[in-house]
Structure formats: structure tokens, C-alpha cells
Amino acid sequence: MEFREVLIILKDDLNKLEASIKENFQSDVLLIPTISNYLSNGGKRIRPILLLTSSRLCGYNNGNKHITYSCVVEFIHTATLLHDDVLDEAEIRRGNPAANLRWGNGASVLVGDFLLSRSLTMMAEVKDPRIIFYFSDASRRMVEGEVMEMINPFNLNITEEEYIGIIKRKTASLISASCRVGAILGKSLSTEEDRLSNFGTEVGIAFQLVDDVFDYASEETKIGKEIGKDIRKGKVTLPLIHLYNNASQKDRKLIEDIVKTGDIQREDFNKIVDLMKRYHSIDYTMDKARGYIREAKERMSNFKGSLYLNAIFSVADYIVERDM
Ligand code: FPP
Ligand code: MG
């Protein structure tokens, strides 16, 4: 199944989600809906799509809780983006000037806080303590991942395992929770719930690895954010870890010198990208991402073949095939 067919199958749910997003970020403090609406445009809705597909796969078919929780996860995700863009001093997000650039860091942090608080009240209204637990625990893990990244700037000696550990928290935890919450809504057996949660973790790791590749090997107009930001901000991601670990002594020295300058210029960035091509660091990272998707799908073999199993596999494939 193609990813666009998934969007067709979920069309009604996704339309309801968009309405729910707009309704729930309302406030009489007008700057809040203004920034929320601004940032809401252009999101891929990957987490809601996984939650919706997972709930349908597990047989959820009465009520609108899947829409509420899809909105919750998109709000939590949007809050993390607002906060992350402040930390990263981002200039572009989802194809537009980043909110921190347009309205300042304070407004970005506070609107992120608003969306996070709103997600809490929405969950309190449905009163499912397990779902509240999984979403708040994922939030805790994301903060831990982000702090781990923050305290490791320009560290070329970080290992691949350590790096995967960071992105598991920073990115995969919320994607995993999205899949688990879908399973909880479908009143699945705990084994199925765990399987979907692990599926989400692997898909989430793959998602971040592809994001890391885009930072070196895509275009601003495609991904809607700046290229080359990671190395400039001292974020050592898998393509760079692979390059540094495999480069010759002379090239390692060059990489160290470039990374240490802090304010990396275009020419030096291009040198790094050329080295990555020479040492196949982009291919290596993409292969890793594809490996995680393969494992994610394999662990779902206990699920009976169905429209929604094909759909969730298609979302997983899209994660590594997308160009945005
Ligand atoms: C994007 O990474 C960032 C994340 C996936 C997590 C951000 C988490 C926080 C800021 C913690 C705050 C948590 C809550 C609950 C509000 P990236 O910078 O590599 O991706 P990018 O290229 O899209 O910016
Ligand atoms: Mg960022």
C-alpha cells in the first residue's frame, strides 16, 4: 500500500483531527492560537497517523477517543518543536520562519507550555490513567534525551550505541507511545500492546536517523528547515559518527578542525558532505534506518494480515522513503 492510500483510508479521522487541533488551541489570549495555527500548518502528522492506524489495527471502532489522543500527541509534539527550536536557535520550521525568530524565545516557550497543558486537560477529561502515564512518561524521556544531547556538544567520541540511546529517548519515545495508545484504545492483549510499542520505538529511531541524513543531504525547500544545522550546533549524529570512526588519520584531523571551529562555513560543510560520500556515511545511516524498519515490521508477524496492518507497514516504509 502507498502512503497516500493510508491518507485516503484515514481521511475522515484526519479531517476530524484537524478540526480538533483548531478547536483545542483556542484561547482568548490571541497570541496563543496565532502561533499554534502558524506552526500547525505543514506538519506531516506522523504520530497521529500511527496512533489512528494502530487503534484501527487493534479493533477500535466506536467513539472519538482516537481523535482526542491524536490531537494530544500532536500538541505534545508541537510543544517539543517550539522548545527545541529555541534550544537550537532554529530559523526555519515547516517551511516558514521559525516561531522563535518571528515572535521570540519567550513566546515560543510559553505557547509550547500552553499546548502541553492543553494536552493534559484533554487527557484528564477522558480519564484513562494508563494513557496519561504513557504520554507523560514519553515526555519525561524526550526531555532526558534532549538534555543528554545538550550536554554532549561537539563530542566526536560518542559511540553509535550511545547515540542510538539518545534518539530512542528524544524521538522514539513519543512515537512508541503513539502506537501503544492506539493498542490500548483497541483493548489489545498486553503482548500486542508491547509489540506495537516496540514497533514504534524502532520506527522512531529510523525516523530520527533519516532526519539526521537530511541535515547533510537534502534541500531546505524539501524538508522545510535548514541544512547543516546539526554540525554547526555541535550535534554529532550518526552520519558524522560513522565518518569520524572510519576516516583516515588525516581526514579525522580535518574533521576535528572543522567541528571545533564552531561556526562552520559553507565551504567546510561541503568538505564534510564530500567526505561522507567518500566514506559512505549517508548510505550507512540509511541502511541502519532501513534495518530498524525491517525489524519493526518483523516483530508484527503475530498480527493477522489486514488492511490496517498493510497501512501501518506503509507508514513505516514512508519513514525511510520520504523526502521531507
Ligand atoms: C527534534 O530534534 C527534537 C525532539 C524530537 C525532542 C525535543 C524535546 C524537547 C525540547 C523536550 C521538551 C519536551 C516537552 C514535553 C515539551 P532535532 O533538533 O534533531 O530535529 P529538528 O531537525 O527537527 O529540529
Ligand atoms: Mg532541532
Side-chain angles (χ1 to χ4, degrees):
M1 187 185 293
E2 301 273 324
F3 183 67
R4 56 179 179 79
E5 293 174 71
V6 178
L7 300 181
I8 294 170
I9 296 171
L10 297 178
K11 194 161 174 268
D12 284 351
D13 285 347
L14 289 171
N15 285 340
K16 284 185 195 159
L17 167 67
E18 292 309 312
S20 174
I21 288 175
K22 287 219 155 42
E23 187 188 322
N24 286 297
F25 65 49
Q26 290 312 320
S27 164
D28 57 355
V29 182
L30 292 182
L31 185 62
I32 291 170
T34 301
I35 296 182
S36 302
N37 189 49
Y38 177 81
L39 197 59
S40 174
N41 295 322
K44 295 183 284 296
R45 311 287 188 250
I46 292 292
R47 293 153 191 82
I49 288 171
L50 281 168
L51 190 153
L52 293 168
T53 319
S54 163
S55 74
R56 298 299 193 196
L57 172 67
C58 296
Y60 179 78
N61 62 6
N62 60 350
N64 274 317
K65 287 182 188 167
H66 63 319
I67 306 296
T68 306
Y69 289 124
S70 298
C71 183
V72 164
V73 74
E74 192 61 17
F75 277 6
I76 298 174
H77 171 57
T78 311
T80 70
L81 292 186
L82 281 161
H83 290 183
D84 179 70
D85 281 352
V86 169
L87 290 164
D88 289 349
E89 301 174 301
E91 289 170 16
I92 307 171
R93 170 68 71 182
R94 292 179 169 172
N96 291 311
N100 44 301
L101 203 69
R102 241 189 110 161
W103 287 279
N105 287 348
S108 287
V109 169
L110 289 169
V111 174
D113 292 342
F114 176 92
L115 293 171
L116 200 56
S117 319
R118 193 69 194 93
S119 73
L120 293 176
T121 50
M122 288 173 77
M123 286 194 282
E125 279 162 24
V126 194
K127 296 192 189 71
D128 185 325
R130 291 191 65 232
I131 295 183
I132 298 176
F133 173 82
Y134 284 116
F135 274 143
S136 29
D137 202 49
S139 304
R140 171 183 70 88
R141 304 265 298 161
M142 280 190 287
V143 175
E144 286 174 348
E146 197 80 349
V147 172
M148 285 163 87
E149 191 172 78
M150 187 181 74
I151 59 181
N152 263 303
F154 304 103
N155 178 10
L156 284 167
N157 294 314
I158 188 165
T159 65
E160 180 171 328
E161 290 66 36
E162 285 166 337
Y163 182 67
I164 297 290
I166 292 177
I167 66 174
K168 207 168 163 179
R169 297 189 200 208
K170 176 180 100 161
T171 309
S173 51
L174 190 59
I175 295 181
S176 166
S178 306
C179 294
R180 183 188 284 279
V181 167
I184 295 176
L185 285 177
K187 301 206 172 4
S188 303
L189 300 172
S190 65
T191 47
E192 290 180 336
E193 209 186 289
D194 289 344
R195 218 165 255 142
L196 267 157
S197 166
N198 290 331
F199 170 87
T201 301
E202 280 152 351
V203 165
I205 292 172
F207 183 91
Q208 187 60 48
L209 292 176
V210 174
D211 194 75
D212 295 344
V213 162
F214 285 165
D215 199 81
Y216 287 100
S218 186
E219 291 153 35
E220 199 169 287
T221 47
K222 272 194 188 159
I223 61 168
K225 50 191 182 186
E226 305 138 273
I227 306 295
K229 188 100 194 149
D230 287 347
I231 195 165
R232 261 190 289 134
K233 286 280 151 198
K235 268 191 211 182
V236 180
T237 62
L238 191 55
L240 189 59
I241 295 169
H242 176 271
L243 173 62
Y244 188 65
N245 288 341
N246 289 279
S248 66
Q249 203 63 22
K250 184 171 140 274
D251 289 334
R252 275 168 80 96
K253 177 81 178 60
L254 177 69
I255 298 161
E256 281 165 15
D257 289 345
I258 291 177
V259 169
K260 262 190 273 159
T261 59
D263 185 25
I264 295 163
Q265 299 303 307
R266 192 86 228 163
E267 197 187 321
D268 282 339
F269 177 69
N270 290 341
K271 274 188 208 159
I272 296 281
V273 174
D274 286 344
L275 284 174
M276 282 181 177
K277 283 184 191 144
R278 177 135 62 85
Y279 287 99
H280 306 290
S281 304
I282 298 295
D283 292 341
Y284 176 82
T285 309
M286 283 305 296
D287 282 349
K288 274 272 154 180
R290 289 193 191 99
Y292 277 105
I293 294 296
R294 204 168 36 245
E295 277 175 38
K297 284 159 72 177
E298 271 165 24
R299 72 166 65 252
M300 298 288 284
S301 60
N302 280 40
F303 280 83
K304 218 167 75 227
S306 70
L307 178 70
Y308 288 106
L309 188 66
N310 289 341
I312 208 162
F313 282 179
S314 169
V315 181
D317 290 335
Y318 172 74
I319 300 288
V320 282
E321 281 158 15
R322 71 202 161 105
D323 65 355
M324 59 174 282

